[in-house]
Amino acid sequence: MKVVQVVLLVLHLLGVLALLVGLLVQVRKPDKRVLGPMRDGIGTTFVAGLLLVGVLEARHQDVDGTQVGVMFGIGLVILVLVMANVRKDRIPDALYWLILVLTLADIGVAYSL
């Protein structure tokens, strides 16, 4: 189970990294859109995070329910926003900045302890 936990954690972190890189490469571009790394990153992050919590619970490790709930909520909002705009040629700047701020907030919540 420990190996599964480590693999899920690495996948989770790689997903967050892909999402963040997909956002940051567009900071100076005038036209922003949902890129493949953003889509794949949030999907990987969300699924791996859910599975990781399940593995931690199965191993009887302490999990902060409030922290997990907040991260789940923010992650779900990011997932919906990204997937709803994946086929669009351009997304509004406000939506781009909202997704970036939510991503950074989710990272902040994860490292708040």
Side-chain angles (χ1 to χ4, degrees):
M1 276 301 238
K2 181 69 174 175
V3 173
V4 174
Q5 180 182 343
V6 171
V7 168
L8 287 171
L9 180 62
V10 170
L11 284 174
H12 185 69
L13 293 174
L14 287 174
V16 171
L17 182 64
L19 173 62
L20 194 57
V21 167
L23 286 164
L24 292 178
V25 297
Q26 301 184 72
V27 167
R28 294 187 177 213
K29 291 185 178 180
D31 291 335
K32 294 165 177 52
R33 62 189 187 99
V34 174
L35 301 176
M38 292 168 59
R39 180 198 63 223
D40 297 342
I42 188 58
T44 301
T45 299
F46 194 77
V47 172
L50 287 176
L51 293 173
L52 186 58
V53 170
V55 168
L56 290 173
E57 289 285 341
R59 295 189 71 217
H60 303 291
Q61 292 186 351
D62 291 334
V63 177
D64 184 357
T66 304
Q67 183 181 21
V68 169
V70 170
M71 289 172 48
F72 174 81
I74 294 172
L76 184 60
V77 170
I78 296 170
L79 180 65
V80 168
L81 290 174
V82 167
M83 295 310 288
N85 292 286
V86 75
R87 293 186 183 260
K88 294 183 179 175
D89 293 332
R90 185 181 185 285
I91 60 172
D93 287 343
L95 178 61
Y96 167 82
W97 289 107
L98 176 63
I99 294 171
L100 181 60
V101 167
L102 287 172
T103 300
L104 294 175
D106 209 16
I107 293 169
V109 170
Y111 290 103
S112 65
L113 293 178

